[in-house]
Amino acid sequence: MPAEKSSAVRSRRPAPPRSAGRGSPAPRTRRGGVRRLYEQARRAWDRPLTAYYVILGSSLLITVLGLVMVYSASMIQALNIDKSSTYFFGKQFVAAVIGGALMLIASRMPVKLHRALAYPMLMITVFLMVLVQVPGIGLSRGGNQNWLYLGGPFQLQPSEFGKLALILWGADLLARKQDKRLLTQWKHMLVPLVPVAFMLLGLIMLGGDMGTAIILTAILFGLLWLAGAPTRLFAGVLGFAAVIAFLLIWTSPNRMSRLSCMGIIGEPDPDDGCWQAAHGIYALASGGWFGSGLGASVEKWGQLPEPHTDFIFAITGEELGLAGTLSVLALFAALGYAGIRVAGRTEDPFVRYAAGGVTTWIMAQAVINIGAVLGLLPIAGVPLPLFSYGGSALLPTMFAVGLMIAFARNDPAAKAALAAMRRPGVRWKTMRRRVTKRPSGER
């Protein structure tokens, strides 16, 4: 009995902790926490309304931050022309309000109405682009004749609306041909998409606007890529466009000087074409990690030309530092990734082509603008989308963002999520599983 009692007591004693050796479960490590965070982020990104919120939030944040930087970067420019320090900011704010209304209208329009607008928008845009070349009607700025005078301080650049017109018309054209299974033939893929795009490019190049022509070419290639153009066909069109671009650059001393400014080192003369590129690098270099402070830029006091338009990213780096520029890049990356998600998850060919075209437009223009400021690409004279000063560029871009918001809302899963959120007594935790509110005290 004593032996049995002592063995029972020993059996009740807690076992000593086992060391983490071979055959024992591994302790919870940092890798497990990272994996858990990754799974949570992946589940959050897979929710039906994620693309909708990301497109809406990132575009609005870019626009608001752009308004702040336009005000800061344009104050000295406005005083130099005997205007109020808020002159450029006021015009940009009016354009942002109008663009916000256009974005709201576009986000509420059905897809069929967007398709119905494709041909009228293309014809009106071509008509306005022809008017630009009429002497006495078109205006010339910076050596490029691509503006129409609207009265007062307002002007219009029709070529900016040509980007949106080409996307809507090209998406509708390719969607109808895909429904008829004609895109397997190369002539149906190219005609009339490529001739119409070349017509728009010709009208733009008559005014000397090489930057807008590059963006329009990127949109054309994006549409052909989404349509599944064969590699040989795609390479042929790309090679032909490259030859034309080379000839246009080679025959223009101004464009050749811009090309030679890539990676410039040293201090150029004020009359040198590389003056702007060099001082853009100086502005970024002097910003440091967190910048000199909002409104404290030195380069905008006459050293850097066009600080509120083409080179507003340089002023952002000088005043907000690396943190500010990385924030802008992160917002554009989020907007582009959400656009790719909308284009990749839809079954509607028009939505896929239009969303892919808009994403190509915004991302290509952002890369070209930021690359020029960083000295990695030639200065093309294109604004930073939603960020730089310019109502003619802001209005069609915000309408295009509203277009993507409409596409994100029209996704079947997103429609179901929005309908459930509006239903009384229902809340959504994960946007996948509906959870009904319970009375207080009930478990």
Side-chain angles (χ1 to χ4, degrees):
M1 288 296 293
E4 294 179 359
K5 185 175 181 180
S6 60
S7 63
V9 171
R10 282 196 303 269
S11 64
R12 294 193 193 102
R13 291 177 183 175
R18 298 173 61 185
S19 60
R22 182 178 298 179
S24 61
R28 187 173 296 176
T29 61
R30 185 178 301 176
R31 183 179 300 177
V34 173
R35 181 175 299 178
R36 192 182 311 109
L37 290 176
Y38 169 75
E39 291 296 329
Q40 291 176 356
R42 187 179 62 83
R43 286 196 299 267
W45 181 250
D46 285 338
R47 296 173 183 174
L49 290 177
T50 298
Y52 167 73
Y53 287 126
V54 170
I55 293 172
L56 178 62
S58 59
S59 60
L60 290 180
L61 286 174
I62 293 171
T63 304
V64 171
L65 183 58
L67 285 173
V68 174
M69 292 311 305
V70 164
Y71 174 66
S72 177
S74 65
M75 289 188 296
I76 308 304
Q77 296 287 321
L79 294 174
N80 286 337
I81 59 175
D82 298 327
K83 300 290 185 180
S84 169
S85 60
T86 59
Y87 174 73
F88 292 107
F89 169 76
K91 293 176 64 177
Q92 185 74 355
F93 182 77
V94 171
V97 172
I98 299 174
L102 291 176
M103 185 174 69
L104 179 62
I105 293 172
S107 65
R108 297 291 178 174
M109 289 170 54
V111 175
K112 290 183 178 180
L113 186 54
H114 283 297
R115 298 188 67 168
L117 289 176
Y119 280 85
M121 184 176 293
L122 179 66
M123 290 187 290
I124 293 173
T125 302
V126 170
F127 175 73
L128 294 177
M129 292 173 68
V130 171
L131 282 182
V132 168
Q133 307 305 323
V134 177
I137 298 179
L139 297 178
S140 178
R141 287 182 55 187
N144 299 334
Q145 184 166 343
N146 50 9
W147 295 85
L148 288 176
Y149 179 65
L150 299 180
F154 299 103
Q155 300 170 355
L156 179 69
Q157 187 176 0
S159 58
E160 291 290 341
F161 293 86
K163 305 170 187 176
L164 179 61
L166 178 62
I167 290 172
L168 288 177
W169 176 80
D172 178 70
L173 175 71
L174 293 174
R176 287 189 289 108
K177 289 196 173 188
Q178 180 173 329
D179 292 338
K180 298 178 181 179
R181 300 181 180 179
L182 296 176
L183 291 182
T184 55
Q185 306 176 33
W186 67 268
K187 55 184 178 182
H188 282 287
M189 183 175 293
L190 296 181
V191 180
L193 177 62
V194 174
V196 171
F198 278 19
M199 177 190 65
L200 294 175
L201 288 171
L203 292 173
I204 292 172
M205 289 309 301
L206 283 177
D209 190 357
M210 185 73 178
T212 304
I214 293 174
I215 304 301
L216 209 69
T217 304
I219 293 172
L220 174 62
F221 288 149
L223 291 174
L224 289 175
W225 181 270
L226 291 169
T231 305
R232 289 181 296 177
L233 182 62
F234 194 82
V237 177
L238 181 61
F240 179 75
V243 171
I244 297 297
F246 174 77
L247 293 176
L248 291 174
I249 294 174
W250 183 264
T251 55
S252 174
N254 181 36
R255 298 185 187 117
M256 283 297 299
S257 65
R258 291 187 177 188
L259 186 64
S260 63
C261 294
M262 293 175 55
I264 182 172
I265 300 176
E267 176 67 28
D269 296 328
D271 297 331
D272 194 346
C274 297
W275 177 267
Q276 186 177 20
H279 281 271
I281 297 295
Y282 298 160
L284 289 171
S286 62
W289 289 98
F290 300 103
S292 58
L294 193 62
S297 168
V298 175
E299 291 292 335
K300 69 183 180 184
W301 286 78
Q303 297 296 323
L304 179 63
E306 305 295 335
H308 58 302
T309 55
D310 301 346
F311 272 69
I312 194 171
F313 189 76
I315 302 299
T316 304
E318 185 180 6
E319 295 188 349
L320 302 183
L322 181 64
T325 55
L326 289 180
S327 299
V328 175
L329 292 176
L331 289 173
F332 274 108
L335 181 59
Y337 196 74
I340 294 173
R341 170 184 165 131
V342 172
R345 294 198 174 191
T346 182
E347 299 294 333
D348 189 337
F350 172 79
V351 172
R352 180 169 62 254
Y353 295 134
V358 171
T359 305
T360 302
W361 163 20
I362 295 177
M363 292 300 104
Q365 189 163 323
V367 168
I368 291 173
N369 177 276
I370 296 174
V373 174
L374 296 175
L376 303 176
L377 295 174
I379 300 175
V382 295
L384 189 58
L386 301 171
F387 201 83
S388 296
Y389 170 79
S392 293
L394 184 62
L395 295 181
T397 308
M398 295 193 75
F399 186 91
V401 171
L403 192 72
M404 288 203 296
I405 293 174
F407 295 157
R409 287 169 55 91
N410 285 330
D411 182 76
K415 278 185 176 181
L418 288 172
M421 290 175 66
R422 299 189 189 102
R423 196 174 305 163
V426 175
R427 62 186 176 92
W428 280 72
K429 276 189 175 181
T430 64
M431 308 307 296
R432 288 181 177 181
R433 182 169 53 93
R434 201 168 54 212
V435 181
T436 307
K437 290 184 178 180
R438 294 169 177 168
S440 59
E442 180 183 348
R443 291 187 176 181

